[in-house]
Amino acid sequence: GAGVSQSPSNKVTEKGKDVELRCDPISGHTALYWYRQSLGQGLEFLIYFQGNSAPDKSGLPSDRFSAERTGGSVSTLTIQRTQQEDSAVYLCASSSNPMFAQPQHFGDGTRLSIL
Amino acid sequence: GENVEQHPSTLSVQEGDSAVIKCTYSDSASNYFPWYKQELGKGPQLIIDIRSNVGEKKDQRIAVTLNKTAKHFSLHITETQPEDSAVYFCAASTNDKLIFGTGTRLQVFP
């Protein structure tokens, strides 16, 4: 079956612009996660959605970052007034179980470059 | 909060040799330890995982060991092949957050 799908695969934009990144989780997966991966670094947790519960936003680095998940499926991560330090690969993952202690399946990410 | 350290950062081996990557974690409540393989331009792929009630798990050429007392776990790859070349990440979870190590770049030379 289809895995986690992210779009766009690459995004180049100017500093100060807003960007939207999209994630389509695996069908039936109730949990959805966003991570940020800077060059040569590990994965930094950003936000977690589980069903209709309030999302865990504890990893968002600033109020310029926000995310939503419509209908319990597709999610959009929005970065407003982008800065050069926002350049990174943004990864989305989904899981069939709401607990973190279950396998997470990743998409191939969106590579974001801020000029 | 949880902290996961991973060593080495880079590892080069000859094809057919074994490779070992080690991770330590700080939160004794961690109960789930997955390992991911990430190839260039791709997302991380789960290759093996282990839970805190198990000391060792094996899947063909890949094995993971867990020492809860010492709070460390290791990935072992035997009979390495060039296609094993990638970045490997360990992670630890306490049912709250999945915290990743900083990754090991493995190069297998033919």
Side-chain angles (χ1 to χ4, degrees):
Chain A
V4 176
S5 177
Q6 291 188 246
S7 61
S9 54
N10 287 281
K11 177 72 175 179
V12 181
T13 193
E14 294 179 347
K15 175 183 172 181
K17 300 287 188 182
D18 297 352
V19 295
E20 283 191 356
L21 313 179
R22 177 186 169 104
C23 173
D24 279 283
I26 292 173
S27 177
H29 279 193
T30 58
L32 186 148
Y33 318 82
W34 284 97
Y35 294 88
R36 179 169 67 176
Q37 185 175 31
S38 300
L39 188 63
Q41 301 297 311
L43 281 73
E44 174 190 6
F45 166 77
L46 296 177
I47 188 169
Y48 158 55
F49 294 91
Q50 167 47 33
N52 295 321
S53 302
D56 176 353
K57 304 179 182 180
S58 60
L60 294 179
S62 77
D63 58 8
R64 296 187 295 105
F65 288 71
S66 63
E68 62 179 23
R69 189 178 184 192
T70 54
S73 181
V74 172
S75 177
T76 301
L77 176 69
T78 300
I79 308 174
Q80 296 178 310
R81 305 181 302 281
T82 52
Q83 303 294 314
Q84 288 186 332
E85 59 263 30
D86 299 335
S87 296
V89 176
Y90 290 82
L91 291 160
C92 175
S94 70
S95 171
S96 61
N97 190 294
M99 303 299 289
F100 273 90
Q102 292 293 333
Q104 294 182 24
H105 302 272
F106 285 83
D108 286 336
T110 294
R111 183 175 300 277
L112 178 63
S113 300
I114 309 300
L115 302 179
Chain B
E2 174 70 282
N3 182 49
V4 177
E5 294 189 359
Q6 183 171 348
H7 300 282
S9 57
T10 60
L11 179 60
S12 297
V13 299
Q14 204 72 32
E15 181 178 2
D17 288 350
S18 296
V20 180
I21 302 170
K22 299 182 179 182
C23 289
T24 60
Y25 59 98
S26 60
D27 191 341
S28 58
S30 292
N31 58 7
Y32 175 63
F33 307 90
W35 286 88
Y36 286 85
K37 175 183 181 182
Q38 187 174 29
E39 297 177 329
L40 193 63
K42 300 290 186 181
Q45 284 201 323
L46 179 72
I47 55 172
I48 195 168
D49 56 10
I50 192 168
R51 298 186 183 279
S52 58
N53 59 343
V54 176
E56 183 174 358
K57 183 177 179 181
K58 189 173 182 179
D59 182 4
Q60 298 183 347
R61 297 186 296 108
I62 294 173
V64 58
T65 59
L66 172 65
N67 183 327
K68 286 190 295 183
T69 303
K71 291 191 283 189
H72 67 67
F73 55 114
S74 301
L75 178 71
H76 305 252
I77 306 174
T78 58
E79 301 172 25
T80 53
Q81 302 168 3
E83 52 264 39
D84 293 330
S85 297
V87 178
Y88 291 80
F89 291 96
C90 64
S93 170
T94 61
N95 290 344
D96 181 32
K97 278 185 172 58
L98 192 59
I99 305 300
F100 286 83
T102 51
T104 296
R105 182 173 300 278
L106 173 65
Q107 290 183 302
V108 181
F109 293 98

